[in-house]
Amino acid sequence: MVARRMVRKCCLPLLVLVSAALAVLYIYLVQVQGSPWVSFGQSQAGDKQKKDEYIVWRGEEQKMEVQQKQEEKKHPAEAAKEKPRQNQSAVTERKPKGVPRSLLRNAACPACLGDNLCEEFEDGMIDLGSEVTIGKVKAYTGTWDKVEVMVTQCASEERLERFEEFVCRNLSESATSCDTGKVLLQEDLKERLQPAHLKKSLQEVFHPNATSSLQATTCMSKPFLKLLQKTFDDNGNKRLNRLEQAHLYSALHTCPHLALLKAIPRKKLPVPAFLGACGNLVATETAGKPLSMYLEVKGPWQVRANLSLQLLQMLDDFQNKDPDWLLMFVEVSIENFSVSSDGRLILADLGNMTIINKHDLDKNSTKKRSSVCNKACFRRFARNLSHRPETSCRQAGRYSQLMYARACQRILGCWQTERSGEGRVTLSSSKDAACAYGRGLLFGPPREAKQELEDLLTECVEETKADGRTTALKQIRVLLADLE
């Protein structure tokens, strides 16, 4: 009995202590790590619930990502404009696919048209496809998030180097060791972006003695510069900071036709959407199939007749659609146009086009001429436009018919020169080596209309009486509309 009492006195407190310790341990495990006494099946059920919750969450996240990509696909220009710029040195999910830096020339920025798409080019978001040469510059088909785009060089290497040399010679303290981008950022270009300064600098960079020197800036005016300044005001504060000044100054001296494309609203003219730029590369909406492809396809004549009517209407719009601006080509060609998937004619290339302020036109420039104006007359005007723009730009309204004459001669019909020196439009279905500019878009018309259409197109090119071109164009429209 004594021994049993001794054991009870010694062990009972020990058992109480052990029980208390176990209770504390159990409470700790339940609160911190969850119950340690769950079965294997219960553990799997909990994991499955968490997995299901993750799948639902991830599914919603992926759905939002898909919706966002679809919106960017519909409006890539707005997506590029709204997307915040990221640190170029940051690690991205996409691996660079190698747009060569020598092709981008983005190290020269801000001596470039812009840099809002540098991340997309450098990180491989915009893939370059097949190469197409347009004059001295290269263009590429491309894709941006599975959307087809056209990527074009802003200017040729020769012109870019000439511009950089001009900047270093005129704006830098050292003409030998000069970073054009830094020089343009350090300089307040406000005064240099005035017409008087620009006319001198553009003449030096573009060499106006060349016959193909007509640019968007040929008929420079203050309203035109205000239009461009509004376009290049990226932050929308109604004044250009030094970065925006540098972009505009560079664009005017290297690729003014692309600056014009950026400025023209699509509601005014059917032009490709301007998506953005990086260095020497500019991305635009794909304009569609080149119009020249329709010279090879033996499709319905009515399709080509409809495109011809659209072309004549577009030339009308260049002159009449906007109350303030006259757009004028001197050397309009079939390469300037494309056809969208729904059959609309698109002005794909604004090279060799100039924009003229209608309020600067001579009052007599819109009056009917009392004499014919053909090849020699137009050639004289085009030469004066390049060499004496101050006078010729004011007379542009009188000579804007040049665009119709070029279109009838080089796009709509086959122009053949006879031994006598006189020319004539023919619409033969076969490819004739005698065609000066290739087979015309209206080749192979209905037999009953062929002769009349050839005569009217010939009068469009070489009018035989005053205002004969205008009369012929009206009759061509009626004839084509009846034959569609």
Side-chain angles (χ1 to χ4, degrees):
M1 290 293 291
V2 175
R4 189 175 297 175
R5 288 177 182 175
M6 291 294 292
V7 170
R8 287 178 180 176
K9 287 183 180 181
C10 296
C11 295
L12 187 58
L14 183 61
L15 288 173
V16 172
L17 289 173
V18 171
S19 299
L22 289 173
V24 172
L25 179 61
Y26 176 82
I27 293 171
Y28 169 79
L29 291 174
V30 170
Q31 291 181 347
V32 179
Q33 298 180 343
S35 175
W37 312 119
V38 296
S39 67
F40 179 72
Q42 289 174 322
S43 177
Q44 281 188 321
D47 291 343
K48 184 177 185 303
Q49 182 179 1
K50 292 180 181 179
K51 183 178 180 181
D52 290 342
E53 291 173 354
Y54 172 79
I55 291 173
V56 172
W57 169 80
R58 182 57 183 160
E60 292 296 325
E61 185 185 60
Q62 289 176 340
K63 185 177 180 180
M64 293 176 64
E65 290 175 356
V66 170
Q67 291 175 347
Q68 183 179 359
K69 288 183 178 180
Q70 288 176 345
E71 288 299 317
E72 291 179 357
K73 186 181 293 185
K74 291 179 182 178
H75 308 286
E78 288 78 1
K81 188 174 182 179
E82 293 175 2
K83 184 173 63 177
R85 299 288 298 147
Q86 297 179 3
N87 187 348
Q88 295 293 324
S89 62
V91 178
T92 61
E93 294 181 1
R94 294 174 183 262
K95 295 181 179 179
K97 296 185 179 179
V99 176
R101 289 186 177 273
S102 59
L103 185 61
L104 277 175
R105 288 179 64 101
N106 59 332
C109 284
C112 61
L113 182 60
D115 59 1
N116 67 311
L117 291 186
C118 283
E119 182 178 320
E120 285 76 4
F121 279 115
E122 292 176 348
D123 295 343
M125 299 177 189
I126 298 179
D127 293 332
L128 299 188
S130 57
E131 178 183 321
V132 181
T133 301
I134 304 176
K136 293 184 179 181
V137 302
K138 297 176 181 177
Y140 304 84
T141 58
T143 55
W144 180 8
D145 197 17
K146 298 182 180 180
V147 176
E148 292 184 359
V149 296
M150 180 63 69
V151 178
T152 311
Q153 282 184 315
C154 176
S156 65
E157 288 292 322
E158 178 185 0
R159 180 174 294 177
L160 290 172
E161 290 174 1
R162 198 158 60 231
F163 171 62
E164 291 172 358
E165 290 173 0
F166 168 82
V167 171
C168 292
R169 187 169 58 251
N170 292 277
L171 280 74
S172 174
E173 296 179 356
S174 173
T176 55
S177 58
C178 152
D179 185 324
T180 54
K182 290 182 179 179
V183 169
L184 291 179
L185 274 183
Q186 293 169 357
E187 184 83 8
D188 187 349
L189 299 172
K190 185 176 180 180
E191 289 300 320
R192 294 184 180 272
L193 283 170
Q194 297 300 317
H197 282 279
L198 282 172
K199 287 175 181 178
K200 294 179 181 179
S201 59
L202 289 169
Q203 285 178 353
E204 185 173 344
V205 173
F206 280 114
H207 294 320
N209 292 329
T211 56
S212 60
S213 62
L214 192 66
Q215 303 290 339
T217 54
T218 297
C219 296
M220 180 69 65
S221 64
K222 286 186 177 180
F224 175 54
L225 286 174
K226 287 183 178 179
L227 174 66
L228 289 182
Q229 288 172 359
K230 183 178 180 180
T231 303
F232 279 76
D233 181 17
D234 294 328
N235 58 18
N237 64 353
K238 297 183 180 181
R239 62 185 182 84
L240 299 186
N241 58 36
R242 292 199 175 186
L243 177 63
E244 294 163 345
Q245 288 179 1
H247 286 158
L248 175 55
Y249 191 78
S250 302
L252 289 172
H253 288 83
T254 56
C255 47
H257 62 292
L258 291 174
L260 181 59
L261 176 63
K262 184 178 180 181
I264 292 180
R266 298 188 67 192
K267 62 182 179 181
K268 294 286 186 180
L269 283 176
V271 294
F274 183 93
L275 304 181
C278 176
N280 191 35
L281 293 185
V282 178
T284 62
E285 177 190 57
T286 299
K289 296 180 180 178
L291 181 59
S292 57
M293 290 183 62
Y294 287 79
L295 299 178
E296 308 297 332
V297 178
K298 292 183 179 180
W301 185 83
Q302 287 76 9
V303 172
R304 289 182 276 111
N306 177 267
L307 291 172
S308 300
L309 282 171
Q310 289 188 55
L311 173 61
L312 295 177
Q313 182 59 51
M314 190 181 293
L315 297 181
D316 285 348
D317 292 343
F318 289 169
Q319 302 168 82
N320 306 316
K321 190 167 186 178
D322 194 292
D324 300 318
W325 302 106
L326 166 66
L327 297 173
M328 188 166 183
F329 273 113
V330 170
E331 298 297 335
V332 61
S333 69
I334 199 167
E335 283 74 22
N336 292 113
F337 303 95
S338 296
V339 182
S340 67
S341 57
D342 58 355
R344 292 182 302 110
L345 193 67
I346 304 294
L347 177 60
D349 181 11
L350 277 65
N352 202 32
M353 170 182 271
T354 191
I355 181 169
I356 303 166
N357 182 17
K358 286 184 176 180
H359 304 288
D360 291 338
L361 291 176
D362 190 320
K363 294 181 180 180
N364 297 323
S365 68
T366 56
K367 292 183 179 180
K368 290 184 178 180
R369 289 175 287 100
S370 58
S371 60
V372 299
C373 187
N374 292 322
K375 185 176 181 180
C377 171
F378 286 138
R379 182 182 294 172
R380 185 167 55 252
F381 167 72
R383 183 174 61 252
N384 290 339
L385 194 61
S386 295
H387 292 79
R388 294 193 294 272
E390 294 82 4
T391 302
S392 298
C393 288
R394 293 197 297 269
Q395 301 173 349
R398 181 176 300 177
Y399 297 97
S400 58
Q401 285 192 4
L402 168 63
M403 294 188 288
Y404 296 112
R406 292 284 193 264
C408 291
Q409 181 185 44
R410 302 180 178 188
I411 301 178
L412 300 184
C414 160
W415 180 256
Q416 294 186 349
T417 304
E418 300 173 354
R419 289 185 178 181
S420 62
E422 296 182 356
R424 180 168 180 78
V425 171
T426 65
L427 298 175
S428 173
S429 297
S430 61
K431 292 183 180 180
D432 195 331
C435 293
Y437 302 98
R439 180 167 61 178
L441 194 62
L442 289 173
F443 72 88
R447 184 176 300 177
E448 67 274 14
K450 182 174 181 293
Q451 186 63 52
E452 182 182 4
L453 195 52
E454 287 179 342
D455 292 342
L456 291 172
L457 288 170
T458 301
E459 180 70 14
C460 172
V461 179
E462 294 280 354
E463 62 181 0
T464 58
K465 57 184 178 180
D467 211 34
R469 184 172 293 106
T470 302
T471 303
L473 286 165
K474 290 179 180 177
Q475 296 177 13
I476 289 171
R477 287 186 174 94
V478 173
L479 185 57
L480 292 179
D482 290 342
L483 293 173
E484 272 193 284

